[in-house]
Amino acid sequence: MDGCLEASLSPLSIPEYVLGCSGRRMPLLGFGTAASPPVGSQLTKTAILQAIELGYRHFDTASLYGTEQPLGEAILEAIAVGLIKSRDELFITSKLWCSDAHGELVLPALRRSLKNLRLEYLDLYLIHWPVSSKPGIYEFPIKQEDFLAMDFKAVWKAMEDCQRLGLTKSIGVSNFSCKKLGDILAFAKIPPAVNQVELNPLWQQKKLREFCKANGILLTAYAPLGAQGTIWGSNRVLECELLKEIAKQKGKTVAQICLRWAYEQGISILVKSFNKDRMKSNLEIFNWSLSQEDVKKINDIPQSRLCSGQDYISKYGPFNTTQELWDGEI
């Protein structure tokens, strides 16, 4: 895998990828903290501590999720009880919410996230969605009349400033199409290191994968198992008959087949389970592989997007339709 540093494959070892521009090593399997519907801070903190104990070192949060604070508390406790020696052993990602996606508000938003996390720096800071909303209002879903077109140049320049100041080691985006990525690349002095998007065997993002690979951008998959149990997710990935068949032949779970497939495609993956057995099972994907025949079968699965982005569509603009939001990549 291009740019991937294979770690020794002990139970606690997760292969890493060296991010462009910063040289940061990003574990290719990360632990997501978004819960939809939300769960309590104590449950989140306990799950993160269990994840650190099992060997996870990459944690993904966002100002929207309400999990920055419990993640910060879990990091302090993990150091205190000796699970890790220092924060530097972890890779922490957070995201800029739409109402802060204005040039002058990016740096204050990052400082607020760092305060919540009790950290001096992030490893990666992402623009959560390619749209802005009325400043000072933190809510989801966003009211249709509160959406605003993003000033990509001003926001990206502010993101670059955050990296130059050392408050984040790398910067990137989330939910960006090829076209929107191209728009950023046209003027970026520091290109996005990562684009975090929905990606799984039933929504493989082949065009976006090719574009990102050609431009040195690492794709990170959220909902790699279909986000079952969330408000917007479904069980269609885990209930896919073909994936069940491959899992049975391999003596693996469907989840492990999905995660291994994504890893073999050169994609980094975020898994989110607060169940300790599943957390452990999700880590057990690095010491075996899929056959070429398995991969071909998976690559031929009919494709459809799960996360439509409907919550970011407004009759007032800037995106009137999902076609506009994804630039036809649906």
Side-chain angles (χ1 to χ4, degrees):
M1 203 180 331
D2 291 346
C4 172
L5 294 179
E6 290 286 350
S8 62
L9 297 180
S10 68
L12 298 183
S13 206
I14 297 171
E16 297 172 326
Y17 179 97
V18 179
L19 293 174
C21 289
S22 69
R24 297 300 283 182
R25 293 181 176 217
M26 175 175 166
L28 284 164
L29 183 68
F31 189 85
T33 63
S36 172
V39 297
S41 287
Q42 190 55 47
L43 187 62
T44 302
K45 180 184 166 185
T46 301
I48 292 165
L49 281 166
Q50 287 178 335
I52 293 173
E53 196 177 354
L54 286 168
Y56 288 92
R57 292 295 180 264
H58 172 184
F59 292 87
D60 180 270
T61 184
S63 58
L64 178 71
Y65 302 161
T67 56
E68 289 177 330
Q69 215 159 336
L71 174 53
E73 288 169 8
I75 293 168
L76 288 177
E77 191 165 322
I79 295 167
V81 300
L83 288 175
I84 52 173
K85 289 191 176 72
S86 81
R87 173 263 179 272
D88 296 342
E89 291 178 37
L90 303 177
F91 188 101
I92 308 296
T93 301
S94 195
K95 305 180 195 79
L96 177 78
W97 186 234
C98 303
S99 54
D100 287 319
H102 304 273
E104 72 284 3
L105 298 182
V106 175
L107 185 55
L110 174 52
R111 289 194 192 279
R112 203 159 49 243
S113 285
L114 289 172
K115 189 179 176 186
N116 288 339
L117 286 157
R118 305 192 204 183
L119 296 178
E120 291 179 4
Y121 69 90
L122 291 178
D123 295 280
L124 179 63
Y125 196 42
L126 305 177
I127 299 174
H128 207 149
W129 283 86
V131 64
S132 299
S133 63
K134 202 172 281 185
I137 301 170
Y138 297 90
E139 62 180 9
F140 181 82
I142 296 166
K143 291 188 183 75
Q144 284 207 11
E145 60 271 24
D146 286 349
F147 282 106
L148 298 164
M150 185 183 291
D151 181 342
F152 287 110
K153 273 191 179 175
V155 171
W156 191 252
K157 183 183 180 301
M159 294 285 284
E160 291 175 333
D161 289 343
C162 291
Q163 181 168 331
R164 287 192 193 100
L165 288 166
L167 297 175
T168 182
K169 302 299 183 183
S170 299
I171 51 176
V173 297
S174 182
N175 299 300
F176 272 55
S177 65
C178 294
K179 182 189 179 301
K180 290 180 178 64
L181 271 176
D183 291 344
I184 296 274
L185 288 169
F187 55 73
K189 290 187 172 63
I190 303 172
V194 166
N195 184 20
Q196 187 183 124
V197 296
E198 178 200 346
L199 203 152
N200 54 60
L202 275 66
W203 186 241
Q204 296 179 19
Q205 300 265 30
K206 288 174 186 171
K207 182 184 173 188
L208 188 60
R209 270 161 49 197
E210 285 168 16
F211 182 91
C212 287
K213 189 175 182 182
N215 287 283
I217 299 167
L218 178 67
L219 261 189
T220 296
Y222 69 73
L225 310 177
Q228 183 178 5
T230 66
I231 292 163
W232 60 272
S234 104
N235 64 353
R236 67 187 187 131
V237 175
L238 294 176
E239 292 299 322
C240 172
E241 288 304 324
L242 173 68
L243 295 174
K244 281 182 173 178
E245 188 184 302
I246 295 171
K248 191 176 177 185
Q249 286 167 0
K250 289 267 179 203
K252 305 293 179 187
T253 66
V254 174
Q256 287 171 328
I257 298 297
C258 293
L259 300 176
R260 179 70 201 188
W261 169 83
Y263 170 66
E264 289 186 13
Q265 306 309 305
I267 294 157
S268 79
I269 319 149
L270 294 172
V271 286
K272 189 254 137 193
S273 175
F274 287 2
N275 173 296
K276 195 169 184 179
D277 290 337
R278 284 199 292 273
M279 283 186 213
K280 186 172 183 295
S281 172
N282 289 340
L283 282 171
E284 294 166 351
I285 63 164
F286 298 114
N287 59 354
W288 55 277
S289 57
L290 294 165
S291 69
Q292 285 184 316
E293 190 186 351
D294 292 334
V295 173
K296 187 182 183 312
K297 284 178 184 173
I298 293 171
N299 290 347
D300 288 341
I301 293 173
Q303 297 293 292
S304 61
R305 188 184 281 280
L306 194 66
C307 178
S308 69
Q310 193 60 45
D311 288 318
Y312 301 88
I313 304 309
S314 168
K315 63 182 178 185
Y316 305 107
F319 304 123
N320 300 114
T321 64
T322 52
Q323 283 276 355
E324 289 177 10
L325 174 64
W326 302 115
D327 297 300
E329 294 167 29
I330 54 177

